[in-house]
Amino acid sequence: MSLVDELKSAVTPRAALLVVGVFALQLLFITSYVGALHHPKPTDVPFGVVAPPRVSAQLVEQLDRLPGGPIDPRTVTDEAEARKQIMNRDIDGALVVAPTGRTDTLLVASGGGTVLSSALETIFTKVEATQQRTVRTVDVAPASPEDFDGLSAFYLVVGWCVGGYICAAILAISAGSRPANRERAIIRLGVLALYAALGGLGGAIIVGPILGALPGSVAALWGLGTLVVFAVGAATLALQSVFGIVGIGLAILLIVVAGNPSAGGAFPLPMLPPFWKAIGPWLPPGAGTWAARSIAYFKGNDMTASMLVLSAWAVVGSVVTLVMSSLKRTPQEEPIATELDTAGGTGTR
């Protein structure tokens, strides 16, 4: 055979298109991660100010006009209310101005991200110095000593997401599998649900009792993990049912390329560029990371939105998978399975 014939035999047009898709995915991966994480800086951080009435408005205005807009300040009645709002995750920190003396108190919550709490400490050390005042930092919701930089919740959720889309991909394109009819779709979703429950439990036990990386309820983390794994897996099955093997690439694009850097893991949401800050809470990694930190450090507060997002992914993914399985299609083998069977010498056309 000529070189051209050998090339056509070695790389089919379909394979060439998939390689081009992988190349594009690779470039998007680099763009997304570097774009989101190469220059983190706090922007519009929700922040409380507790100060005597005569200086409160002036201080809020001063903080609002800081170069780069790092702080989104608002007046809070007293220190107790500021602590409550931090634990409810309404604000990320607060400055309590002492009515007498020259030492003020900065309230932070490193459980929500140690990088952000350190950035706030740096900002307010400089702000206070301009007024010939000093600041002492009090961590209202401290990260576990075993949770370096507050990253354990993020890595836990990443692991759950990886398990979800790999399990779904295996169910969808394993050698010999066929396009899902309704019965196969139900079975695949059932297997995915069982896998999700086991994966959620395993992750919760590893980060809790085994490694001691995260405090909080193991049962709550188990429930969260089950939902994260199933949501990602169901979305992957849905995309595969609509787009074929390309749908698995789309799942990686959504979860890994877009979802991970925007999840607020390495850098909390207020430190991300606007695009990633906007999309993060709507994708499973971001919703899962927020909820995991709420369970671990904030008494389970402010989880409703994240749980609704994850539930929407799970429900929509399941519905699309079932609807697509109900459509009348030629019951032939999936292309990927056919290629694998043929390579093994068992398939004929």
Side-chain angles (χ1 to χ4, degrees), residues 89-115:
R89 310 199 75 178
D90 296 325
I91 57 176
D92 290 311
L95 182 67
V96 182
V97 177
T100 60
R102 307 196 67 81
T103 300
D104 301 326
T105 301
L106 175 66
L107 304 178
V108 297
S110 62
T114 59
V115 177

Short mmCIF file of all heavy atoms in Angstrom, two decimals, residues 89-115:
data_model
loop_
_atom_site.label_atom_id
_atom_site.label_comp_id
_atom_site.label_asym_id
_atom_site.label_seq_id
_atom_site.Cartn_x
_atom_site.Cartn_y
_atom_site.Cartn_z
N ARG A 89 -22.13 32.91 55.74
CA ARG A 89 -21.47 33.11 54.46
C ARG A 89 -22.07 34.26 53.66
O ARG A 89 -22.04 34.28 52.43
CB ARG A 89 -21.45 31.81 53.64
CG ARG A 89 -20.94 30.62 54.40
CD ARG A 89 -20.49 29.48 53.52
NE ARG A 89 -19.19 29.80 52.90
CZ ARG A 89 -18.53 28.96 52.10
NH1 ARG A 89 -19.06 27.78 51.81
NH2 ARG A 89 -17.37 29.30 51.57
N ASP A 90 -22.63 35.25 54.39
CA ASP A 90 -23.13 36.46 53.74
C ASP A 90 -21.98 37.42 53.44
O ASP A 90 -22.03 38.17 52.46
CB ASP A 90 -24.15 37.16 54.64
CG ASP A 90 -25.40 36.33 54.87
OD1 ASP A 90 -25.80 35.61 53.94
OD2 ASP A 90 -25.96 36.38 55.98
N ILE A 91 -20.97 37.43 54.30
CA ILE A 91 -19.77 38.24 54.09
C ILE A 91 -18.55 37.36 54.34
O ILE A 91 -18.64 36.30 54.97
CB ILE A 91 -19.74 39.47 55.04
CG1 ILE A 91 -19.82 39.03 56.51
CG2 ILE A 91 -20.86 40.44 54.70
CD1 ILE A 91 -19.71 40.19 57.50
N ASP A 92 -17.40 37.80 53.83
CA ASP A 92 -16.17 37.01 53.98
C ASP A 92 -15.27 37.52 55.09
O ASP A 92 -14.24 36.89 55.39
CB ASP A 92 -15.39 37.01 52.66
CG ASP A 92 -16.10 36.21 51.58
OD1 ASP A 92 -16.49 35.06 51.86
OD2 ASP A 92 -16.28 36.72 50.46
N GLY A 93 -15.62 38.64 55.67
CA GLY A 93 -14.81 39.17 56.76
C GLY A 93 -15.44 40.45 57.28
O GLY A 93 -16.44 40.94 56.73
N ALA A 94 -14.85 40.98 58.35
CA ALA A 94 -15.38 42.23 58.93
C ALA A 94 -14.28 42.92 59.72
O ALA A 94 -13.40 42.26 60.30
CB ALA A 94 -16.58 41.95 59.83
N LEU A 95 -14.35 44.24 59.75
CA LEU A 95 -13.45 45.04 60.57
C LEU A 95 -14.25 45.62 61.72
O LEU A 95 -15.26 46.29 61.50
CB LEU A 95 -12.82 46.16 59.75
CG LEU A 95 -11.82 47.05 60.51
CD1 LEU A 95 -10.57 46.26 60.88
CD2 LEU A 95 -11.45 48.29 59.69
N VAL A 96 -13.80 45.34 62.93
CA VAL A 96 -14.45 45.88 64.13
C VAL A 96 -13.55 46.97 64.69
O VAL A 96 -12.45 46.69 65.20
CB VAL A 96 -14.68 44.78 65.18
CG1 VAL A 96 -15.40 45.35 66.40
CG2 VAL A 96 -15.47 43.61 64.58
N VAL A 97 -14.00 48.22 64.57
CA VAL A 97 -13.20 49.36 65.00
C VAL A 97 -13.41 49.59 66.50
O VAL A 97 -14.56 49.71 66.96
CB VAL A 97 -13.59 50.63 64.22
CG1 VAL A 97 -12.79 51.83 64.72
CG2 VAL A 97 -13.35 50.41 62.73
N ALA A 98 -12.33 49.63 67.23
CA ALA A 98 -12.41 49.84 68.68
C ALA A 98 -12.79 51.29 68.96
O ALA A 98 -12.19 52.22 68.41
CB ALA A 98 -11.06 49.52 69.32
N PRO A 99 -13.81 51.51 69.82
CA PRO A 99 -14.22 52.90 70.14
C PRO A 99 -13.14 53.64 70.92
O PRO A 99 -13.08 54.88 70.88
CB PRO A 99 -15.49 52.71 70.96
CG PRO A 99 -15.42 51.31 71.48
CD PRO A 99 -14.67 50.52 70.48
N THR A 100 -12.32 52.89 71.64
CA THR A 100 -11.18 53.50 72.35
C THR A 100 -9.93 52.71 71.99
O THR A 100 -9.99 51.54 71.62
CB THR A 100 -11.40 53.46 73.87
OG1 THR A 100 -11.53 52.08 74.29
CG2 THR A 100 -12.64 54.23 74.27
N GLY A 101 -8.78 53.34 72.10
CA GLY A 101 -7.55 52.67 71.75
C GLY A 101 -7.30 52.72 70.25
O GLY A 101 -8.10 53.26 69.48
N ARG A 102 -6.19 52.11 69.82
CA ARG A 102 -5.79 52.19 68.42
C ARG A 102 -5.59 50.81 67.79
O ARG A 102 -4.93 50.68 66.78
CB ARG A 102 -4.50 53.01 68.30
CG ARG A 102 -4.58 54.40 68.98
CD ARG A 102 -3.47 55.30 68.51
NE ARG A 102 -3.59 55.66 67.10
CZ ARG A 102 -4.39 56.62 66.65
NH1 ARG A 102 -5.16 57.31 67.48
NH2 ARG A 102 -4.43 56.89 65.35
N THR A 103 -6.19 49.78 68.41
CA THR A 103 -6.10 48.43 67.85
C THR A 103 -7.48 47.93 67.49
O THR A 103 -8.35 47.81 68.36
CB THR A 103 -5.43 47.46 68.85
OG1 THR A 103 -4.10 47.92 69.15
CG2 THR A 103 -5.35 46.06 68.26
N ASP A 104 -7.70 47.65 66.22
CA ASP A 104 -8.99 47.16 65.73
C ASP A 104 -8.90 45.65 65.49
O ASP A 104 -7.82 45.05 65.52
CB ASP A 104 -9.38 47.88 64.44
CG ASP A 104 -9.47 49.38 64.63
OD1 ASP A 104 -9.88 49.81 65.74
OD2 ASP A 104 -9.13 50.12 63.70
N THR A 105 -10.05 45.03 65.26
CA THR A 105 -10.12 43.57 65.09
C THR A 105 -10.61 43.24 63.68
O THR A 105 -11.65 43.75 63.24
CB THR A 105 -11.07 42.95 66.12
OG1 THR A 105 -10.60 43.27 67.44
CG2 THR A 105 -11.12 41.44 65.95
N LEU A 106 -9.85 42.40 63.01
CA LEU A 106 -10.24 41.90 61.69
C LEU A 106 -10.76 40.48 61.84
O LEU A 106 -10.04 39.59 62.30
CB LEU A 106 -9.05 41.92 60.73
CG LEU A 106 -9.28 41.30 59.35
CD1 LEU A 106 -10.31 42.12 58.55
CD2 LEU A 106 -7.97 41.18 58.57
N LEU A 107 -12.02 40.27 61.48
CA LEU A 107 -12.62 38.94 61.53
C LEU A 107 -12.52 38.30 60.14
O LEU A 107 -12.91 38.91 59.14
CB LEU A 107 -14.09 39.03 61.94
CG LEU A 107 -14.40 39.73 63.27
CD1 LEU A 107 -15.91 39.76 63.51
CD2 LEU A 107 -13.69 39.04 64.43
N VAL A 108 -11.98 37.08 60.08
CA VAL A 108 -11.87 36.37 58.82
C VAL A 108 -12.37 34.93 59.02
O VAL A 108 -12.69 34.52 60.14
CB VAL A 108 -10.41 36.34 58.30
CG1 VAL A 108 -9.92 37.75 58.00
CG2 VAL A 108 -9.49 35.64 59.29
N ALA A 109 -12.43 34.18 57.93
CA ALA A 109 -12.86 32.78 58.00
C ALA A 109 -11.99 31.98 57.03
O ALA A 109 -12.31 31.86 55.84
CB ALA A 109 -14.34 32.65 57.63
N SER A 110 -10.87 31.46 57.53
CA SER A 110 -9.95 30.75 56.64
C SER A 110 -10.53 29.44 56.13
O SER A 110 -10.06 28.89 55.13
CB SER A 110 -8.62 30.48 57.37
OG SER A 110 -8.82 29.65 58.51
N GLY A 111 -11.60 28.93 56.79
CA GLY A 111 -12.26 27.74 56.28
C GLY A 111 -12.86 27.95 54.91
O GLY A 111 -13.04 26.99 54.15
N GLY A 112 -13.16 29.19 54.56
CA GLY A 112 -13.68 29.51 53.24
C GLY A 112 -12.59 29.73 52.21
O GLY A 112 -12.88 29.97 51.04
N GLY A 113 -11.33 29.62 52.64
CA GLY A 113 -10.19 29.83 51.74
C GLY A 113 -9.11 30.64 52.43
O GLY A 113 -9.32 31.82 52.71
N THR A 114 -8.00 29.99 52.74
CA THR A 114 -6.95 30.68 53.48
C THR A 114 -6.31 31.79 52.65
O THR A 114 -5.83 32.79 53.20
CB THR A 114 -5.86 29.69 53.92
OG1 THR A 114 -5.31 29.04 52.77
CG2 THR A 114 -6.43 28.64 54.86
N VAL A 115 -6.29 31.65 51.34
CA VAL A 115 -5.69 32.68 50.49
C VAL A 115 -6.47 33.98 50.62
O VAL A 115 -5.89 35.07 50.70
CB VAL A 115 -5.65 32.22 49.02
CG1 VAL A 115 -5.10 33.32 48.13
CG2 VAL A 115 -4.80 30.97 48.88
#
